[in-house]
Amino acid sequence: MDDCLFCKIIRSELPSHKIYEDEKVLVILDINPWTRGHCLVFPKKHIRNIFEADTNTLSHLILAAQKISLLVKEKLGAEGINILQNNNRLAGQIVDHIHFHIIPRYKDNSLQISHSTDYQGNDLKEVVKLLTGNR
Ligand code: 5GP
Ligand code: ZN
């Protein structure tokens, strides 16, 4: 896509800090890192998000995400990793080219990714029914 930020980075029309590249995938440092070594893993093919991704691309992406996780663990001493992937504006997707965030976690890090939520729903049976069509 001509005006896509990540496509421009792939074509080297915009600068980036490249960490890894193969024929299908590019990994760069996030320009606004949440922690040290925050990487973005994305395909060279322009795909908007998870809803539009094909099996082949997704397989490559998740394997590259694992490779970078291991790299960051070994070379930067990360003791944990969060992998985040946003889809659509409501979920915080800003760049419309599918990408996984690899967010290294360190002991002294103040980053909070919390399990707590205001959501009070307890209609689990109804949700199962809607998602599976039975029970
Ligand atoms: P999203 O919110 O779409 O999941 O994440 C987009 C990410 O891209 C953000 O974390 C943001 O910091 C990063 N980003 C935005 N513009 C650039 C850029 O020009 N270069 C790099 N390396 N990262 C960018
Ligand atoms: Zn793109």
Side-chain angles (χ1 to χ4, degrees), residues 14-132:
L14 288 174
S16 67
H17 294 90
K18 288 185 189 172
I19 301 297
Y20 171 80
E21 180 170 19
D22 64 27
E23 80 279 8
K24 292 205 162 81
V25 172
L26 182 62
V27 181
I28 63 172
L29 291 180
D30 196 298
I31 205 168
N32 184 24
W34 291 12
T35 64
R36 187 163 189 249
H38 180 166
C39 291
L40 300 172
V41 177
F42 50 89
K44 290 189 172 173
K45 180 164 140 188
H46 180 86
I47 293 169
R48 199 169 127 82
N49 56 32
I50 196 87
F51 304 118
E52 297 176 10
D54 58 276
T55 310
N56 198 276
T57 304
L58 265 186
S59 312
H60 275 88
L61 278 182
I62 199 66
L63 290 175
Q66 184 192 37
K67 188 188 284 281
I68 299 306
S69 298
L70 288 165
L71 186 74
V72 158
K73 181 169 171 281
E74 187 194 332
K75 304 286 189 187
L76 299 182
E79 291 187 33
I81 308 270
N82 290 108
I83 298 181
L84 179 69
Q85 198 272 308
N86 301 322
N87 300 281
N88 287 347
R89 291 288 173 278
L90 190 73
Q93 183 176 14
I94 295 165
V95 177
D96 287 338
H97 183 128
I98 190 170
H99 52 280
F100 285 94
H101 295 255
I102 308 295
I103 306 167
R105 304 299 298 270
Y106 307 96
K107 238 191 214 112
D108 56 355
N109 230 196
S110 60
L111 178 66
Q112 294 284 330
I113 297 179
S114 171
H115 283 242
S116 73
T117 168
D118 291 339
Y119 179 62
Q120 296 290 323
N122 60 359
D123 58 341
L124 301 191
K125 283 186 179 153
E126 178 63 15
V127 175
V128 169
K129 209 161 132 187
L130 289 169
L131 293 180
T132 67

Side-chain angles (χ1 to χ4, degrees), residues 7-18:
C7 284
K8 285 183 179 169
I9 287 174
I10 290 160
R11 294 192 301 264
S12 297
E13 291 169 18
L14 288 174
S16 67
H17 294 90
K18 288 185 189 172

